[in-house]
Amino acid sequence: MRKVVLVTGASSGVGLALCKRLLEEDDELHVCLACRNMSKAEAVSADLLASHPAAEVSIVQVDVSNLKSVIRASSELKQRFQRLDYVYLNAGIMPNPQLNIKALFCGLFSRKVIHMFSTAEGLLTQEDKVTADGLQEVFETNVFGHFILIQELEPLLCHRDSPSQLIWTSSRNARKSNFHLEDIQHSRGQEPYSSSKYAVDLLSVALNRNFNPRGLYSSVVCPGTMVTNMTYGILPPLVWTLLLPIIWLLRFFANAFTLTPYNGTEALVWLFHQKPESLNPLTKYLSATTGFGSNYVATQKRPPLSTLAQGRLREGAGVHVCVSAVSHSALSHFFSTI
């Protein structure tokens, strides 16, 4: 029986590169592209099948920033498949990123210049908005929509005799300082992307605690610093042209500069070959690239759930907008999980 891999955000960037690399590893996989834009997904599907005619490629339409879309897609997947072996929770947004020029120039003349470029810590702010579900868009897209997807797909994922893997795309930009229990959606802050990725790290630990005995394992990955559709708009093209030679040189001092989506998938592909029960649930897996362009996987210890043990999230914590009944019920389940 073919193994089934579900990839969200599969029509571009890391998601697209991942699908190509997975089929290079095993061209008998069934890869299901979970995408918002069907025309893009259909073009990707045709391209993948042309390169790997022995594979199976299917499409499910889903917008993880819309709970009705998530539930509809989950229902469709449960009709198609008996199980899912791998779910790559990759779709994400960083809306309207703005560069903090002051922080950039201060960092350039500090000892933290390499760390600053590696993590973008303090460099980027974003303008968030509220979705139709009454939730912050970055939180719902990067965290909550995927959580509901997992919840709805439980029957396809929990099999003790043959474990399934959840693999989240996180970030080195996931900073504890940007995550606050009283504002879990980061509705009052300016760095919702960083906050959402820290929430992903914590949620993955909680999912392992709750689901490992049932045969479901969760890991998080950082693909590194890349030039993709998400990052390219941060600076004018001319500035990127001037910066790229500098970033290539920085590779000799820091491993985070993977630069391309292909390189960024290194850790995601590595996890595809691992036995999930042998992995440390407190480890974040980092795609890394040497100064000479060789790819490898590095590791970083993640925070334990003691961060949340300081006070159990009460029902509705961090929700400062009027949410729908469906959203409120789902949020309650989210809070009880972590």
Side-chain angles (χ1 to χ4, degrees):
M1 181 180 290
R2 292 177 186 263
K3 289 190 174 182
V4 180
V5 182
L6 178 69
V7 182
T8 68
S11 62
S12 63
V14 170
L16 174 56
L18 173 64
C19 292
K20 291 179 177 179
R21 288 197 64 178
L22 288 176
L23 289 176
E24 289 172 4
E25 299 289 320
D26 183 354
D27 66 358
E28 293 189 357
L29 289 174
H30 184 142
V31 177
C32 183
L33 314 175
C35 302
R36 182 173 50 186
N37 187 314
M38 288 298 284
S39 61
K40 286 185 178 180
E42 287 166 359
V44 169
S45 175
D47 182 56
L48 292 174
L49 287 171
S51 303
H52 304 279
E56 280 191 37
V57 180
S58 60
I59 302 170
V60 63
Q61 185 172 27
V62 62
D63 179 354
V64 286
S65 69
N66 183 299
L67 294 185
K68 289 183 179 179
S69 174
V70 171
I71 292 170
R72 183 171 57 249
S74 301
S75 177
E76 188 176 332
L77 289 167
K78 283 185 282 191
Q79 292 176 4
R80 289 191 206 174
F81 302 111
Q82 293 184 327
R83 64 168 285 129
L84 295 172
D85 298 280
Y86 304 87
V87 178
Y88 284 91
L89 303 157
N90 168 73
I93 59 169
M94 183 194 292
N96 304 309
Q98 302 294 319
L99 183 65
N100 187 329
I101 300 296
K102 182 180 178 180
L104 173 63
F105 278 98
C106 289
L108 285 174
F109 300 101
S110 73
R111 290 179 295 179
K112 293 185 177 181
V113 59
I114 294 177
H115 174 78
M116 178 185 70
F117 278 109
S118 299
T119 65
E121 183 177 351
L123 285 182
L124 299 176
T125 60
Q126 301 94 42
E127 294 179 12
D128 207 354
K129 64 181 181 180
V130 176
T131 68
D133 295 314
L135 303 171
Q136 294 298 127
E137 184 181 31
V138 175
F139 172 76
E140 183 166 14
T141 304
N142 295 0
V143 188
F144 193 63
H146 283 120
F147 171 76
I148 298 303
L149 184 67
I150 296 165
Q151 177 185 326
E152 292 295 314
L153 294 178
E154 258 187 59
L156 306 186
L157 295 169
C158 296
H159 301 275
R160 290 182 184 178
D161 56 329
S162 181
S164 294
Q165 285 184 264
L166 305 174
I167 302 171
W168 298 79
T169 300
S170 181
S171 173
R172 287 174 173 83
N173 189 243
R175 313 304 300 177
K176 181 180 178 181
S177 59
N178 288 323
F179 178 84
H180 304 285
L181 290 173
E182 66 275 10
D183 186 21
I184 194 170
Q185 297 189 65
H186 205 76
S187 60
R188 299 192 297 268
Q190 292 185 306
E191 297 187 57
Y193 181 81
S194 174
S195 175
S196 72
K197 293 304 182 180
Y198 192 83
V200 161
D201 290 358
L202 291 174
L203 178 58
S204 180
V205 176
L207 290 170
N208 279 317
R209 180 190 63 189
N210 293 336
F211 286 101
N212 283 178
R214 299 168 59 187
L216 178 61
Y217 294 82
S218 181
S219 300
V220 293
V221 166
C222 173
T225 302
M226 302 168 294
V227 180
T228 65
N229 292 337
M230 182 182 289
T231 58
Y232 198 69
I234 296 171
L235 297 170
L238 177 61
V239 177
W240 276 116
T241 302
L242 296 173
L243 276 180
L244 280 175
I246 299 172
I247 293 174
W248 278 91
L249 289 174
L250 288 176
R251 271 180 160 184
F252 288 95
F253 304 96
N255 62 16
F257 300 102
T258 51
L259 296 185
T260 68
Y262 181 93
N263 294 343
T265 62
E266 188 70 19
L268 292 100
V269 174
W270 181 83
L271 283 169
F272 173 76
H273 294 291
Q274 307 309 307
K275 292 183 178 180
E277 58 270 30
S278 69
L279 300 171
N280 185 340
L282 293 180
T283 296
K284 177 184 280 189
Y285 299 93
L286 314 175
S287 295
T289 304
T290 69
F292 295 103
S294 299
N295 296 322
Y296 65 101
V297 178
T299 59
Q300 180 185 79
K301 189 174 181 181
R302 288 187 289 153
L305 278 177
S306 58
T307 302
L308 296 181
Q310 297 170 4
R312 171 69 71 177
L313 286 172
R314 65 186 181 279
E315 183 175 325
V319 183
H320 302 288
V321 293
C322 180
V323 300
S324 68
V326 173
S327 302
H328 191 275
S329 174
L331 276 169
S332 299
H333 185 69
F334 178 80
F335 296 143
S336 67
T337 299
I338 60 176

